[in-house]
Amino acid sequence: MLALRLARGAHPLVVLRRLLVAAASAGVGFLLLSALTHALAHPDDPSTSLLRLSWCLVPLAAAVHFAVAVARTDPSTRPRSGLSAAGLGPGQLAALAASGTAVSAALGSVLALLVFLHLRGDLTGLPFDGAAAELLAADESLPLAAALTLLAVVPLAATVTVALALRSRIRTTADDEAPPEEPPAPTAPPGGLPWGCALTAAGLAIGTYAARAQSGEGPRLPGEFGSNPAGVLTGWALTAVGLAVAGPALTHFCGRLLQMVRPNALRLLAGRVLMEEARRIGRPIGVLCAVAAAVLAGWMLSGSGARPFGPLTGLGTTLVIACSTATLLVSTAEARALRTTTREELRRLGTPANTLRTATALRVLILLAVYAPLTWAVAALAVAPLRG
């Protein structure tokens, strides 16, 4: 009840973010239900149905990642003085954020079920002249228990992940706000670059092995959803994890790069801010880099005789791209909100607003200069064995 009251009185931007979480949950729920109907329509081909279901893990992970980013920026999850005395400690605040995420994700699952039943003709007859009848197996009876179980996956995964992620984050924030007993040590650069490189290399190696194991058939892009081998999915998953792990260190390096070779005040400001934000925005940038590499690889393969993308593949791709981009934007907005005091102090000292905008542009340009070649290199290395 408290989560519903907070949602009703929240800022419109906060409500919009929660609605976007519901939309992402609806998209993933629809893909899970489509995998179920494929299994109903093809009972003699369980391996393909299982492969379709496994490909749903990619948009599921993107949606959960986005839900965590939205929950982190929710004002109701920030520890305040006096809340602990009222019984709202780190665990209770994390549970409150998780319950809000559960409400948004459950709303999306209900919407997915309604749209799915409508397209199958189970509510008011077949719409669009039955265009989706074959795709969604409209002539097969839908097992309600299995459908509800699949629809519960997104709310459950998002709720548990948000609760675990925010519990440690809220406790750390509360500890940081406590009066220190001694001067704090300088922040160390983020690690993870060796592990990120190792995971990315392992992912590319697994993808190469899976591609060569296809007996020279070449890549088969999914006509409807997910006809690629499981090895390709595993390889791309490891690659995405590796880029996400290496993202903070690479972003920190971008900040250092801006300050090399006799920097002026503008470059120093842009570089220091980027180094401070590296831990917060580095992982979303790494994930978006992996998604962009996958899309670029698909575009490189589109002219090699591969089958075109179908509607469900397009939906899944759109979900992953949208969730990854939205996660980065939300994380950037959170970092900007945390810099409010610094920004106001700079303006009080007479810093022109144009200087702050130029510093932002410099940060964007250095990130593009580092991550764009990396994205192209990952895509080229993934595509090379598929073409050969």
Side-chain angles (χ1 to χ4, degrees), residues 58-344:
V58 179
L60 172 63
V64 171
H65 190 211
F66 176 54
V68 173
V70 170
R72 285 173 59 93
T73 60
D74 196 324
S76 63
T77 65
R78 296 173 185 170
R80 300 179 181 87
S81 58
L83 287 181
S84 297
L88 291 177
Q92 288 73 21
L93 288 177
L96 182 62
S99 61
T101 302
V103 171
S104 300
L107 176 62
S109 295
V110 172
L111 178 62
L113 180 61
L114 293 177
V115 173
F116 184 79
L117 293 177
H118 175 65
L119 293 178
R120 275 174 49 93
D122 294 334
L123 297 179
T124 58
L126 283 172
F128 309 114
D129 297 328
E134 182 179 357
L135 185 63
L136 301 180
D139 54 342
E140 300 288 341
S141 177
L142 183 68
L144 186 59
L148 294 179
T149 300
L150 288 176
L151 289 175
V153 170
V154 182
L156 183 61
T159 302
V160 172
T161 306
V162 167
L164 294 177
L166 263 66
R167 183 178 176 86
S168 58
R169 177 246 185 183
I170 292 173
R171 179 178 286 117
T172 302
T173 304
D175 293 341
D176 291 342
E177 291 180 353
E181 298 180 357
E182 58 183 12
T187 304
L193 185 59
W195 282 106
C197 294
L199 288 172
T200 302
L204 292 173
I206 292 175
T208 300
Y209 178 81
R212 291 179 176 176
Q214 289 183 327
S215 303
E217 293 181 2
R220 290 196 306 155
L221 297 180
E224 292 181 353
F225 196 83
S227 59
N228 282 6
V232 176
L233 175 61
T234 304
W236 272 114
L238 282 177
T239 301
V241 172
L243 291 174
V245 170
L250 287 175
T251 305
H252 191 273
F253 169 73
C254 291
R256 286 190 175 275
L257 200 61
L258 272 177
Q259 302 173 73
M260 288 182 177
V261 191
R262 303 173 66 179
N264 54 19
L266 183 61
R267 288 167 54 195
L268 280 174
L269 175 62
R272 292 294 175 86
V273 170
L274 197 56
M275 290 168 63
E276 288 294 326
E277 295 178 353
R279 297 181 185 275
R280 182 165 284 104
I281 68 174
R283 284 192 176 87
I285 293 178
V287 172
L288 186 60
C289 177
V291 172
V295 174
L296 182 59
W299 177 77
M300 291 178 179
L301 293 172
S302 61
S304 62
R307 290 159 50 190
F309 288 95
L312 296 180
T313 302
L315 175 60
T317 304
T318 302
L319 272 174
V320 173
I321 295 174
C323 289
S324 303
T325 305
T327 301
L328 177 58
L329 293 177
V330 169
S331 301
T332 304
E334 181 189 12
R336 178 180 173 81
L338 294 176
R339 293 200 318 270
T340 301
T341 304
T342 304
R343 195 163 52 249
E344 291 177 353

